[in-house]
Amino acid sequence: MTVLIVGSLNTDILVRVRRAPLPGETVLGDDAQVQPGGKGANQAVAAARAGAAVAFCGAIGRDTFAPVPRGALSAAGVDLEDLRELDAPSGIALITIADDGENSITVASGANARLAPEHLPAEFTGVSHLLMQQEIPPDTVLAAAVRAKAAGAQVMLNAAPARQLTDELWPLLDTLIVNEHELAQLAGVPEGQEESAARSLLSRGVGAVFVTLGARGSLVVTANEVLKQPAHKVDVLDTTGAGDTFCGVLAAWLSGGAALPEALQAANVAGALACTKLGAQAAMPTRGEIEAALSAL
Ligand code: ADP
């Protein structure tokens, strides 16, 4: 069964600088790095590397940036039949990384912001799990969730970047994935009360709430249980893409028929493995690497 990702794809342009520019200032950095990105594309690559059959629906332009994320999705074996080419600039993210580790990011959404309900696949046949994020318009997220439900697919939303969800969307969600900040914002409570905050979201109609806790691991809360996974111990090099890896691998494992505890454990281990290498998509583990880490537990 297929995992369908409806989401964003970008070209990330990264520049290392001594310190971020002040307003009106120019600073000189070293060589720019150009990498494929966007939460939708990242999660599609993570799910495909983890062994799932993955289809992607998103929007891209016809400009010089388009081949970067498209090529990476294609190389990962993602089905791009529903990737729409629009008369709009492709999405890009301008990322400045200062010596103190602080990142400043400017995203030009471009075509991603124009992904409309009419661009969704006509049929959701063969889709077992729909996985979305919030870098595309809310009405498209809602329309995709409605269609997936009607087709009998499970609906998964990674509520990143944080924004409030429309009332109609909550009961359509089988699975919500959030980090600590997104959880606190959605639940309207201070950070540090993960279990009660997650439980309060269940009352809005979502089936299971997964919370990623960075170096503290992850947990899932359902009406009947709370399961926790401490972080898998690794030598951390760069945490970029850990959250996207968690989401993609979770979808891959669930679409393969895994139960929640097993899927949580695989996603938790995969998120940690993504921290051992530089970059987002470049750091995502293969199914073999995830399985090897799981069997060594
Ligand atoms: P986000 O980047 O979306 O905030 P997190 O930082 O919570 O996501 O990371 C997602 C998952 O990746 C975590 O739940 C955990 O499984 C894994 N992870 C992240 N940071 C670490 C770390 N320092 N050590 C081990 N695992 C980590």
Side-chain angles (χ1 to χ4, degrees):
M1 293 292 270
T2 301
V3 174
L4 171 65
I5 314 253
V6 176
S8 61
L9 68 175
N10 285 333
T11 297
D12 292 349
I13 301 172
L14 297 94
V15 186
R16 288 188 180 276
V17 291
R18 234 163 21 81
R19 58 171 183 79
L22 299 169
E25 189 189 20
T26 300
V27 295
L28 297 180
D30 39 307
D31 298 352
Q33 284 180 46
V34 177
Q35 295 177 358
K39 287 184 186 298
N42 287 349
Q43 295 182 19
V45 168
R49 282 221 188 116
V54 181
F56 184 83
C57 174
I60 200 163
R62 297 186 174 94
D63 49 16
T64 47
F65 292 117
V68 175
R70 178 200 277 280
L73 285 166
S74 168
V78 174
D79 176 345
L80 296 179
E81 197 179 319
D82 293 309
L83 176 61
R84 313 298 176 199
E85 274 194 3
L86 306 183
D87 286 323
S90 299
I92 56 172
L94 305 170
I95 306 173
T96 312
I97 308 164
D99 275 353
D100 63 4
E102 279 301 322
N103 291 355
S104 315
I105 306 178
T106 307
V107 175
S109 297
N112 294 302
R114 290 152 167 102
L115 183 72
E118 75 204 49
H119 297 128
L120 294 170
E123 304 277 339
F124 278 51
T125 325
V127 174
S128 66
H129 290 72
L130 167 69
L131 173 60
M132 297 183 286
Q133 313 74 28
Q134 305 205 114
E135 290 183 333
I136 56 168
D139 56 335
T140 307
V141 170
L142 180 61
V146 168
R147 282 194 213 175
K149 271 277 146 186
Q154 297 274 308
V155 179
M156 306 175 67
L157 177 72
N158 172 215
R163 74 178 169 217
Q164 289 304 326
L165 312 188
T166 48
D167 290 345
E168 306 107 283
L169 184 60
W170 283 102
L172 299 173
L173 299 180
D174 297 286
T175 306
L176 177 72
I177 309 151
V178 283
N179 68 16
E180 307 153 81
H181 317 298
E182 292 144 7
L183 175 65
Q185 216 167 317
L186 280 180
V189 299
E191 289 184 23
Q193 311 167 17
E194 291 95 17
E195 280 184 45
S196 59
R199 227 175 256 116
S200 80
L201 298 186
L202 290 181
S203 67
R204 299 186 199 174
V206 51
V209 178
F210 286 80
V211 186
T212 66
L213 301 166
R216 290 191 294 131
S218 52
L219 60 89
V220 59
V221 180
T222 66
N224 309 318
E225 59 188 348
V226 177
L227 299 167
K228 295 182 187 172
Q229 277 292 323
H232 181 58
K233 289 241 174 308
V234 289
D235 290 329
V236 175
L237 186 62
D238 171 25
T239 61
T240 311
D244 288 337
T245 302
F246 184 99
C247 295
V249 172
L250 187 68
W253 246 254
L254 291 175
S255 74
L260 287 190
E262 206 187 319
L264 175 69
Q265 194 175 42
N268 190 71
V269 160
L273 293 176
C275 298
T276 63
K277 293 183 190 162
L278 282 178
Q281 293 184 14
M284 288 168 174
T286 61
R287 185 175 194 92
E289 289 166 338
I290 300 167
E291 282 175 343
L294 285 171
S295 59
L297 286 177

